[in-house]
Amino acid sequence: MSTENRKLINIATAGSVDDGKSTLIGRLLYDTRSLTTDKLEAIERNSKQKGYDYLDFSLATDGLVAEREQGITIDVAHIYFNTDKTNYIIADTPGHVEYTRNMVTGASTSQVAIILIDARKGVIEQTYRHFFINNLLRVGHVIVAINKMDLVEFDQQVFEDIKKDFEALIEKSDYSSDQVTFIPVSALHGDNIASGSETMSWYQGPSLLEYLEDLEIDELDDHGTARFSVQYVIRPKTDTHHDFRGFAGKLYGGSLSVGDDVTVLPSFTQSKIKSIEFFDQQFDEAVAGSSVTITLEDEVNVSRGDMLVKSNELPKSEKQLSATICQVNSKPLRVGAKYILQHGVNQVLAKVDSIDGLVHTDFTGEEAADQLKLNDIGKVNFRLSKPIHFDPYKDSKSNGSFILIDEASFDTTSVGFIQ
Protein backbone atom coordinates (compact mmCIF):
# COMPACT_ATOMS: atom_id res chain seq x y z
CA MET A 1 0.00 0.00 0.00
CA SER A 2 1.00 3.62 -0.33
CA THR A 3 -0.46 6.43 1.71
CA GLU A 4 0.61 9.04 -0.81
CA ASN A 5 -0.74 9.00 -4.35
CA ARG A 6 0.19 12.53 -5.26
CA LYS A 7 3.92 13.03 -5.69
CA LEU A 8 5.63 15.11 -3.03
CA ILE A 9 9.19 16.33 -3.53
CA ASN A 10 11.24 17.85 -0.75
CA ILE A 11 13.92 20.16 -2.12
CA ALA A 12 16.81 21.93 -0.44
CA THR A 13 18.36 24.93 -2.13
CA ALA A 14 21.92 26.04 -1.57
CA GLY A 15 23.82 28.98 -2.90
CA SER A 16 26.03 31.81 -1.81
CA VAL A 17 24.87 35.39 -1.40
CA ASP A 18 23.87 36.93 -4.75
CA ASP A 19 23.86 33.62 -6.59
CA GLY A 20 20.16 34.30 -7.22
CA LYS A 21 18.56 31.78 -4.89
CA SER A 22 15.69 34.06 -3.85
CA THR A 23 15.05 35.01 -7.46
CA LEU A 24 14.99 31.35 -8.49
CA ILE A 25 12.46 30.46 -5.81
CA GLY A 26 10.35 33.51 -6.64
CA ARG A 27 10.42 32.60 -10.32
CA LEU A 28 9.29 29.03 -9.55
CA LEU A 29 6.41 30.42 -7.48
CA TYR A 30 5.46 32.81 -10.29
CA ASP A 31 5.70 30.25 -13.10
CA THR A 32 3.55 27.76 -11.16
CA ARG A 33 1.03 30.49 -10.30
CA SER A 34 1.70 29.98 -6.62
CA LEU A 35 2.04 33.69 -5.78
CA THR A 36 -1.03 35.29 -4.28
CA THR A 37 -2.51 38.25 -6.14
CA ASP A 38 -1.52 40.75 -3.45
CA LYS A 39 2.03 39.38 -3.36
CA LEU A 40 2.35 39.63 -7.11
CA GLU A 41 0.97 43.18 -7.07
CA ALA A 42 3.51 44.08 -4.37
CA ILE A 43 6.33 42.67 -6.51
CA GLU A 44 5.09 44.63 -9.56
CA ARG A 45 4.77 47.81 -7.49
CA ASN A 46 8.19 47.51 -5.84
CA SER A 47 9.91 46.57 -9.09
CA LYS A 48 8.42 49.67 -10.78
CA GLN A 49 9.45 51.90 -7.86
CA LYS A 50 13.02 50.66 -8.19
CA GLY A 51 12.99 51.50 -11.88
CA TYR A 52 13.34 47.89 -13.03
CA ASP A 53 12.01 46.89 -16.42
CA TYR A 54 11.51 43.38 -15.08
CA LEU A 55 9.80 41.79 -12.07
CA ASP A 56 12.14 41.37 -9.11
CA PHE A 57 11.12 37.89 -7.94
CA SER A 58 13.60 37.96 -5.08
CA LEU A 59 10.95 40.09 -3.32
CA ALA A 60 8.78 36.97 -3.07
CA THR A 61 10.99 35.73 -0.22
CA ASP A 62 12.30 39.03 1.11
CA GLY A 63 10.00 38.92 4.10
CA LEU A 64 11.84 35.84 5.29
CA VAL A 65 15.21 37.47 4.69
CA ALA A 66 14.09 40.48 6.69
CA GLU A 67 13.10 38.26 9.58
CA ARG A 68 16.55 36.70 9.61
CA GLU A 69 18.20 40.10 9.56
CA GLN A 70 16.14 41.13 12.57
CA GLY A 71 17.49 38.20 14.51
CA ILE A 72 14.27 36.22 14.54
CA THR A 73 15.24 32.58 14.51
CA ILE A 74 14.22 30.91 11.28
CA ASP A 75 16.77 28.17 10.81
CA VAL A 76 15.25 26.99 7.57
CA ALA A 77 12.41 28.66 5.68
CA HIS A 78 10.02 26.19 4.05
CA ILE A 79 8.19 27.34 0.94
CA TYR A 80 5.31 25.43 -0.64
CA PHE A 81 4.07 25.31 -4.21
CA ASN A 82 2.48 22.80 -6.51
CA THR A 83 1.80 21.86 -10.11
CA ASP A 84 -1.01 19.72 -11.52
CA LYS A 85 0.62 16.46 -10.40
CA THR A 86 3.26 17.34 -7.81
CA ASN A 87 3.49 19.08 -4.45
CA TYR A 88 6.79 20.74 -3.63
CA ILE A 89 8.38 21.85 -0.38
CA ILE A 90 11.53 23.94 -0.71
CA ALA A 91 13.81 24.22 2.30
CA ASP A 92 15.48 27.57 1.69
CA THR A 93 18.76 27.19 3.54
CA PRO A 94 21.42 29.86 4.12
CA GLY A 95 24.64 29.37 2.23
CA HIS A 96 27.24 30.92 4.53
CA VAL A 97 29.74 28.68 6.29
CA GLU A 98 28.49 29.95 9.66
CA TYR A 99 25.08 28.53 8.81
CA THR A 100 26.29 25.02 8.00
CA ARG A 101 24.05 23.62 10.74
CA ASN A 102 21.05 25.27 9.06
CA MET A 103 21.90 23.68 5.75
CA VAL A 104 22.30 20.28 7.36
CA THR A 105 18.87 20.69 8.93
CA GLY A 106 17.26 21.70 5.64
CA ALA A 107 18.93 19.03 3.53
CA SER A 108 18.37 16.20 6.00
CA THR A 109 14.80 15.62 4.87
CA SER A 110 15.27 16.49 1.21
CA GLN A 111 15.20 14.15 -1.75
CA VAL A 112 16.56 16.70 -4.22
CA ALA A 113 19.07 19.51 -3.82
CA ILE A 114 19.44 22.54 -6.07
CA ILE A 115 22.94 23.99 -5.87
CA LEU A 116 23.16 27.40 -7.49
CA ILE A 117 26.34 28.65 -9.12
CA ASP A 118 26.81 32.17 -10.43
CA ALA A 119 27.93 31.71 -14.03
CA ARG A 120 30.34 34.63 -13.62
CA LYS A 121 32.08 33.09 -10.60
CA GLY A 122 32.00 29.37 -11.33
CA VAL A 123 32.74 26.72 -8.71
CA ILE A 124 33.86 28.40 -5.48
CA GLU A 125 34.68 27.25 -1.96
CA GLN A 126 31.05 27.48 -0.87
CA THR A 127 30.08 25.17 -3.73
CA TYR A 128 32.40 22.52 -2.29
CA ARG A 129 30.69 22.80 1.09
CA HIS A 130 27.18 22.69 -0.37
CA PHE A 131 27.95 19.59 -2.41
CA PHE A 132 29.82 17.90 0.44
CA ILE A 133 26.87 18.28 2.79
CA ASN A 134 24.49 16.84 0.22
CA ASN A 135 26.90 13.95 -0.27
CA LEU A 136 27.14 13.44 3.50
CA LEU A 137 23.34 13.42 3.85
CA ARG A 138 22.85 11.15 0.84
CA VAL A 139 20.41 13.50 -0.88
CA GLY A 140 19.32 11.39 -3.83
CA HIS A 141 19.48 13.91 -6.67
CA VAL A 142 21.48 17.09 -7.15
CA ILE A 143 20.62 19.75 -9.71
CA VAL A 144 23.47 22.13 -10.40
CA ALA A 145 21.70 25.26 -11.62
CA ILE A 146 24.27 27.48 -13.31
CA ASN A 147 22.49 30.81 -12.95
CA LYS A 148 22.84 34.28 -14.41
CA MET A 149 23.61 32.92 -17.86
CA ASP A 150 22.18 36.20 -19.19
CA LEU A 151 25.20 37.98 -17.68
CA VAL A 152 27.66 35.82 -19.64
CA GLU A 153 25.90 36.24 -22.98
CA PHE A 154 24.29 32.77 -22.61
CA ASP A 155 27.71 31.41 -23.55
CA GLN A 156 27.74 27.60 -23.84
CA GLN A 157 31.49 27.47 -23.16
CA VAL A 158 30.99 29.11 -19.74
CA PHE A 159 28.44 26.43 -18.88
CA GLU A 160 30.70 23.62 -20.12
CA ASP A 161 33.73 24.93 -18.17
CA ILE A 162 31.77 25.10 -14.90
CA LYS A 163 30.28 21.67 -15.55
CA LYS A 164 33.78 20.26 -16.08
CA ASP A 165 35.02 21.79 -12.81
CA PHE A 166 32.05 20.34 -10.94
CA GLU A 167 32.51 16.90 -12.48
CA ALA A 168 35.91 16.78 -10.80
CA LEU A 169 34.05 17.06 -7.48
CA ILE A 170 31.66 14.27 -8.42
CA GLU A 171 34.61 11.92 -8.94
CA LYS A 172 35.67 12.50 -5.31
CA SER A 173 32.15 11.98 -3.95
CA ASP A 174 29.81 9.02 -3.50
CA TYR A 175 27.54 10.29 -6.26
CA SER A 176 27.30 8.68 -9.67
CA SER A 177 27.18 10.99 -12.65
CA ASP A 178 23.52 10.17 -13.33
CA GLN A 179 22.54 11.54 -9.91
CA VAL A 180 23.82 15.02 -10.77
CA THR A 181 22.13 17.13 -13.46
CA PHE A 182 23.45 20.40 -14.87
CA ILE A 183 21.02 23.04 -16.11
CA PRO A 184 21.97 26.50 -17.40
CA VAL A 185 19.39 29.01 -16.19
CA SER A 186 18.54 32.64 -15.90
CA ALA A 187 16.21 32.86 -12.94
CA LEU A 188 15.68 36.54 -13.59
CA HIS A 189 14.37 36.04 -17.11
CA GLY A 190 12.92 32.54 -16.63
CA ASP A 191 15.24 30.69 -19.01
CA ASN A 192 15.13 26.92 -18.36
CA ILE A 193 13.13 27.36 -15.16
CA ALA A 194 9.61 26.19 -16.08
CA SER A 195 10.25 25.79 -19.81
CA GLY A 196 13.10 25.79 -22.26
CA SER A 197 15.15 28.76 -23.36
CA GLU A 198 15.13 30.18 -26.88
CA THR A 199 18.39 31.99 -26.15
CA MET A 200 20.16 28.77 -25.10
CA SER A 201 19.08 26.50 -27.93
CA TRP A 202 22.41 24.68 -27.53
CA TYR A 203 21.04 23.14 -24.32
CA GLN A 204 18.85 20.15 -25.15
CA GLY A 205 18.07 18.95 -21.60
CA PRO A 206 14.97 19.53 -19.50
CA SER A 207 14.14 22.76 -17.72
CA LEU A 208 14.41 22.75 -13.94
CA LEU A 209 10.69 22.17 -13.42
CA GLU A 210 10.49 19.61 -16.22
CA TYR A 211 13.28 17.64 -14.56
CA LEU A 212 11.51 17.68 -11.19
CA GLU A 213 8.15 16.73 -12.73
CA ASP A 214 9.69 13.73 -14.51
CA LEU A 215 11.23 12.24 -11.36
CA GLU A 216 9.39 9.04 -10.44
CA ILE A 217 8.31 8.38 -6.86
CA ASP A 218 10.44 5.23 -6.89
CA GLU A 219 13.49 7.37 -7.66
CA LEU A 220 12.70 9.60 -4.67
CA ASP A 221 12.24 6.84 -2.11
CA ASP A 222 14.88 6.06 0.49
CA HIS A 223 15.83 2.54 -0.54
CA GLY A 224 17.15 0.36 2.21
CA THR A 225 16.23 -2.32 4.66
CA ALA A 226 12.79 -2.22 6.30
CA ARG A 227 12.82 -0.48 9.70
CA PHE A 228 9.52 -0.10 11.56
CA SER A 229 9.83 1.94 14.74
CA VAL A 230 6.87 1.47 17.09
CA GLN A 231 5.44 4.81 18.09
CA TYR A 232 2.29 3.64 19.84
CA VAL A 233 0.82 0.37 21.12
CA ILE A 234 -2.90 0.19 20.33
CA ARG A 235 -5.02 -1.78 22.80
CA PRO A 236 -8.66 -0.56 22.51
CA LYS A 237 -10.05 -3.16 24.99
CA THR A 238 -13.55 -2.76 23.57
CA ASP A 239 -16.11 -5.55 23.22
CA THR A 240 -15.46 -5.79 19.49
CA HIS A 241 -11.67 -5.51 19.78
CA HIS A 242 -11.10 -7.00 23.21
CA ASP A 243 -7.94 -8.91 22.27
CA PHE A 244 -6.60 -6.50 19.64
CA ARG A 245 -2.99 -5.46 20.15
CA GLY A 246 -1.48 -3.47 17.28
CA PHE A 247 1.73 -1.53 16.88
CA ALA A 248 1.43 1.81 15.10
CA GLY A 249 4.38 3.53 13.46
CA LYS A 250 6.01 4.57 10.21
CA LEU A 251 7.90 2.24 7.93
CA TYR A 252 11.25 3.37 6.54
CA GLY A 253 13.52 1.79 3.95
CA GLY A 254 12.04 -1.35 2.42
CA SER A 255 8.70 -3.11 2.60
CA LEU A 256 6.98 -5.49 5.03
CA SER A 257 4.37 -8.10 4.12
CA VAL A 258 1.89 -10.28 5.95
CA GLY A 259 3.66 -13.53 6.85
CA ASP A 260 7.15 -12.00 7.07
CA ASP A 261 9.33 -13.36 9.86
CA VAL A 262 10.21 -10.37 12.04
CA THR A 263 12.43 -9.73 15.04
CA VAL A 264 11.51 -7.26 17.78
CA LEU A 265 14.44 -5.14 18.97
CA PRO A 266 15.91 -4.83 21.53
CA SER A 267 14.43 -8.06 22.94
CA PHE A 268 15.29 -10.09 19.79
CA THR A 269 11.92 -11.84 20.17
CA GLN A 270 10.72 -13.38 16.92
CA SER A 271 7.25 -13.62 15.40
CA LYS A 272 5.39 -13.28 12.10
CA ILE A 273 3.34 -10.38 10.78
CA LYS A 274 -0.35 -11.28 11.14
CA SER A 275 -1.89 -8.17 9.60
CA ILE A 276 -1.08 -4.73 8.23
CA GLU A 277 -3.82 -2.17 8.76
CA PHE A 278 -4.54 1.48 8.02
CA PHE A 279 -7.73 2.78 9.63
CA ASP A 280 -10.39 0.19 8.73
CA GLN A 281 -8.52 -1.26 5.74
CA GLN A 282 -6.17 -4.22 5.62
CA PHE A 283 -3.24 -4.65 3.23
CA ASP A 284 -0.90 -7.47 2.27
CA GLU A 285 2.12 -5.19 2.09
CA ALA A 286 3.36 -1.87 3.47
CA VAL A 287 5.98 0.12 1.55
CA ALA A 288 8.49 2.67 2.75
CA GLY A 289 6.85 5.85 3.97
CA SER A 290 3.63 4.14 5.05
CA SER A 291 2.16 4.89 8.46
CA VAL A 292 0.40 1.68 9.45
CA THR A 293 -0.59 -0.58 12.32
CA ILE A 294 0.99 -4.03 12.44
CA THR A 295 -0.23 -7.02 14.44
CA LEU A 296 1.86 -10.12 15.19
CA GLU A 297 0.88 -13.78 15.37
CA ASP A 298 2.38 -14.22 18.83
CA GLU A 299 1.69 -12.46 22.13
CA VAL A 300 5.18 -10.97 22.40
CA ASN A 301 6.15 -7.96 24.44
CA VAL A 302 6.44 -4.87 22.21
CA SER A 303 6.68 -1.31 23.57
CA ARG A 304 6.98 2.21 22.23
CA GLY A 305 10.50 2.69 20.87
CA ASP A 306 10.95 -0.95 19.90
CA MET A 307 11.77 -1.72 16.29
CA LEU A 308 10.39 -4.44 14.04
CA VAL A 309 12.79 -5.68 11.36
CA LYS A 310 12.86 -8.67 9.04
CA SER A 311 14.64 -11.49 10.83
CA ASN A 312 17.09 -11.89 7.94
CA GLU A 313 17.88 -8.15 7.87
CA LEU A 314 19.06 -7.43 11.40
CA PRO A 315 20.87 -4.13 12.06
CA LYS A 316 24.11 -3.90 14.00
CA SER A 317 23.80 -3.99 17.79
CA GLU A 318 26.88 -2.44 19.38
CA LYS A 319 28.04 -0.28 22.28
CA GLN A 320 30.61 1.55 20.17
CA LEU A 321 30.10 3.47 16.99
CA SER A 322 31.88 5.80 14.60
CA ALA A 323 30.05 8.71 13.08
CA THR A 324 30.46 11.86 11.05
CA ILE A 325 29.38 14.74 13.28
CA CYS A 326 28.13 18.20 12.39
CA GLN A 327 28.48 20.44 15.42
CA VAL A 328 25.37 22.62 15.75
CA ASN A 329 26.06 24.15 19.16
CA SER A 330 28.56 26.83 20.19
CA LYS A 331 29.81 24.60 23.02
CA PRO A 332 32.60 22.54 21.39
CA LEU A 333 32.54 18.76 21.31
CA ARG A 334 35.67 17.44 23.03
CA VAL A 335 37.25 14.06 23.75
CA GLY A 336 35.94 12.68 27.05
CA ALA A 337 32.72 14.71 26.98
CA LYS A 338 29.50 12.88 27.85
CA TYR A 339 26.17 13.32 26.12
CA ILE A 340 22.72 11.84 25.80
CA LEU A 341 22.60 10.16 22.41
CA GLN A 342 19.09 10.06 20.98
CA HIS A 343 18.61 7.41 18.30
CA GLY A 344 15.03 7.35 17.09
CA VAL A 345 12.93 7.62 20.24
CA ASN A 346 15.55 5.86 22.37
CA GLN A 347 18.20 7.56 24.49
CA VAL A 348 21.51 6.20 25.79
CA LEU A 349 24.51 7.83 27.48
CA ALA A 350 27.48 8.38 25.18
CA LYS A 351 31.10 9.34 25.80
CA VAL A 352 33.41 10.77 23.14
CA ASP A 353 36.22 8.24 22.85
CA SER A 354 38.25 10.01 20.18
CA ILE A 355 38.09 12.51 17.35
CA ASP A 356 39.61 11.08 14.19
CA GLY A 357 39.77 14.38 12.39
CA LEU A 358 38.21 17.58 11.12
CA VAL A 359 36.78 16.98 7.65
CA HIS A 360 37.67 19.26 4.74
CA THR A 361 34.51 19.90 2.78
CA ASP A 362 36.40 20.18 -0.51
CA PHE A 363 36.95 16.40 -0.39
CA THR A 364 40.70 16.86 0.20
CA GLY A 365 40.74 14.82 3.42
CA GLU A 366 40.93 15.50 7.13
CA GLU A 367 43.18 17.24 9.64
CA ALA A 368 43.89 16.38 13.26
CA ALA A 369 41.58 18.01 15.81
CA ASP A 370 40.98 17.73 19.54
CA GLN A 371 37.56 19.40 19.39
CA LEU A 372 34.74 20.28 17.01
CA LYS A 373 33.50 23.85 17.06
CA LEU A 374 30.19 25.25 15.84
CA ASN A 375 29.57 24.28 12.17
CA ASP A 376 32.61 21.96 12.09
CA ILE A 377 32.22 18.53 10.51
CA GLY A 378 34.38 15.76 11.92
CA LYS A 379 34.72 12.04 12.44
CA VAL A 380 34.16 10.91 16.03
CA ASN A 381 34.15 7.61 17.94
CA PHE A 382 31.71 7.04 20.81
CA ARG A 383 31.33 4.53 23.64
CA LEU A 384 27.72 3.93 24.73
CA SER A 385 26.19 2.85 28.05
CA LYS A 386 24.22 0.12 26.27
CA PRO A 387 23.93 -1.15 22.71
CA ILE A 388 21.84 0.58 20.08
CA HIS A 389 20.51 -1.16 17.00
CA PHE A 390 21.71 0.85 14.03
CA ASP A 391 22.54 0.77 10.34
CA PRO A 392 25.21 2.81 8.57
CA TYR A 393 23.62 6.05 7.35
CA LYS A 394 24.35 5.11 3.74
CA ASP A 395 22.04 2.10 4.18
CA SER A 396 19.30 3.69 6.28
CA LYS A 397 18.79 7.39 6.85
CA SER A 398 16.21 6.79 9.56
CA ASN A 399 18.22 4.23 11.51
CA GLY A 400 21.67 5.61 10.78
CA SER A 401 21.41 9.06 12.32
CA PHE A 402 21.18 10.52 15.81
CA ILE A 403 21.49 13.72 17.79
CA LEU A 404 23.62 14.47 20.84
CA ILE A 405 22.02 16.28 23.78
CA ASP A 406 23.93 18.15 26.49
CA GLU A 407 23.32 16.39 29.83
CA ALA A 408 23.10 19.65 31.78
CA SER A 409 21.28 22.08 29.50
CA PHE A 410 19.41 19.52 27.34
CA ASP A 411 20.44 21.55 24.29
CA THR A 412 21.03 19.69 21.04
CA THR A 413 24.77 19.91 20.43
CA SER A 414 25.45 17.75 17.39
CA VAL A 415 23.91 15.78 14.55
CA GLY A 416 25.50 12.41 13.80
CA PHE A 417 25.59 10.15 10.76
CA ILE A 418 26.77 6.64 11.57
CA GLN A 419 29.54 5.23 9.39
Side-chain angles (χ1 to χ4, degrees):
M1 65 162 289
S2 172
T3 58
E4 184 66 74
N5 295 319
R6 187 179 170 86
K7 191 165 70 175
L8 169 66
I9 301 182
N10 289 284
I11 303 169
T13 57
S16 298
V17 172
D18 292 334
D19 279 351
K21 190 156 54 73
S22 296
T23 301
L24 175 73
I25 295 172
R27 170 61 74 170
L28 278 170
L29 296 177
Y30 175 76
D31 286 348
T32 56
R33 300 181 180 178
S34 301
L35 287 172
T36 59
T37 302
D38 60 336
K39 188 72 177 179
L40 182 56
E41 288 174 352
I43 291 173
E44 291 172 342
R45 187 170 56 251
N46 279 287
S47 298
K48 189 175 294 182
Q49 287 173 350
K50 292 179 179 179
Y52 298 156
D53 58 358
Y54 55 85
L55 296 179
D56 182 5
F57 291 113
S58 68
L59 298 171
T61 57
D62 262 4
L64 298 167
V65 173
E67 288 184 38
R68 288 191 192 118
E69 290 174 348
Q70 292 169 32
I72 299 172
T73 303
I74 302 178
D75 283 345
V76 179
H78 287 92
I79 299 161
Y80 304 83
F81 69 97
N82 63 274
T83 60
D84 290 340
K85 65 178 183 179
T86 310
N87 295 328
Y88 294 95
I89 303 174
I90 292 183
D92 181 15
T93 65
H96 280 299
V97 61
E98 59 263 38
Y99 296 118
T100 296
R101 57 180 174 172
N102 307 54
M103 188 180 168
V104 169
T105 302
S108 63
T109 56
S110 297
Q111 301 142 311
V112 179
I114 301 174
I115 297 178
L116 270 85
I117 294 177
D118 187 328
R120 299 168 301 173
K121 301 175 183 174
V123 175
I124 60 176
E125 184 177 352
Q126 280 297 79
T127 311
Y128 298 151
R129 179 169 286 264
H130 298 154
F131 186 55
F132 181 89
I133 290 173
N134 282 293
N135 183 70
L136 172 66
L137 298 180
R138 306 280 167 178
V139 177
H141 303 269
V142 172
I143 301 170
V144 182
I146 300 171
N147 191 26
K148 303 192 179 185
M149 288 299 296
D150 52 303
L151 298 182
V152 293
E153 310 282 334
F154 300 102
D155 188 342
Q156 181 180 2
Q157 193 57 51
V158 172
F159 171 76
E160 297 294 345
D161 289 344
I162 295 173
K163 181 181 175 185
K164 184 179 179 182
D165 289 344
F166 202 101
E167 286 172 338
L169 278 181
I170 298 173
E171 292 179 2
K172 299 176 184 177
S173 74
D174 298 317
Y175 281 107
S176 59
S177 58
D178 60 353
Q179 289 179 282
V180 183
T181 300
F182 298 88
I183 303 178
V185 304
S186 169
L188 183 64
H189 298 290
D191 293 86
N192 287 329
I193 302 297
S195 56
S197 168
E198 294 181 1
T199 50
M200 287 185 279
S201 57
W202 46 264
Y203 172 73
Q204 299 297 311
S207 69
L208 180 60
L209 198 57
E210 288 169 345
Y211 175 83
L212 292 170
E213 290 282 272
D214 286 343
L215 281 173
E216 299 292 337
I217 290 178
D218 184 55
E219 296 179 276
L220 298 167
D221 285 343
D222 175 19
H223 298 285
T225 47
R227 300 294 183 240
F228 184 80
S229 184
V230 176
Q231 296 173 345
Y232 188 68
V233 179
I234 300 175
R235 299 196 67 184
K237 294 183 179 179
T238 60
D239 290 340
T240 53
H241 298 90
H242 185 76
D243 296 321
F244 184 89
R245 191 159 177 266
F247 312 108
K250 187 171 183 178
L251 178 62
Y252 295 93
S255 62
L256 288 174
S257 300
V258 172
D260 279 348
D261 292 313
V262 292
T263 296
V264 183
L265 298 173
S267 66
F268 285 93
T269 309
Q270 296 192 339
S271 185
K272 283 181 181 289
I273 294 179
K274 182 179 179 182
S275 69
I276 297 173
E277 306 179 14
F278 184 71
F279 288 114
D280 57 350
Q281 294 180 286
Q282 295 208 5
F283 299 87
D284 293 330
E285 181 187 39
V287 299
S290 303
S291 294
V292 294
T293 298
I294 290 176
T295 65
L296 301 178
E297 290 188 353
D298 306 289
E299 283 291 330
V300 297
N301 182 29
V302 181
S303 305
R304 170 180 160 80
D306 288 356
M307 183 185 297
L308 305 184
V309 301
K310 289 182 180 176
S311 295
N312 61 351
E313 294 180 348
L314 294 178
K316 293 183 177 180
S317 298
E318 297 180 4
K319 289 179 68 176
Q320 290 190 312
L321 60 85
S322 300
T324 302
I325 295 295
C326 178
Q327 187 64 8
V328 300
N329 192 286
S330 57
K331 184 178 179 180
L333 177 146
R334 293 191 172 93
V335 175
K338 296 178 182 178
Y339 298 95
I340 299 168
L341 185 149
Q342 178 148 353
H343 177 245
V345 298
N346 296 310
Q347 294 185 337
V348 298
L349 295 178
K351 180 180 179 182
V352 178
D353 245 6
S354 62
I355 298 175
D356 283 351
L358 181 69
V359 175
H360 294 170
T361 56
D362 59 357
F363 295 95
T364 56
E366 303 157 17
E367 66 180 63
D370 57 4
Q371 64 176 359
L372 294 183
K373 296 179 291 187
L374 178 64
N375 293 311
D376 280 349
I377 295 174
K379 294 186 176 178
V380 181
N381 298 305
F382 295 93
R383 186 181 305 169
L384 311 180
S385 60
K386 62 180 182 180
I388 63 170
H389 311 284
F390 64 88
D391 297 287
Y393 186 78
K394 65 181 178 60
D395 296 332
S396 173
K397 288 186 176 182
S398 63
N399 200 38
S401 57
F402 60 85
I403 60 171
L404 296 178
I405 300 170
D406 186 280
E407 283 187 297
S409 65
F410 295 104
D411 289 339
T412 299
T413 65
S414 324
V415 181
F417 309 95
I418 301 173
Q419 295 172 355

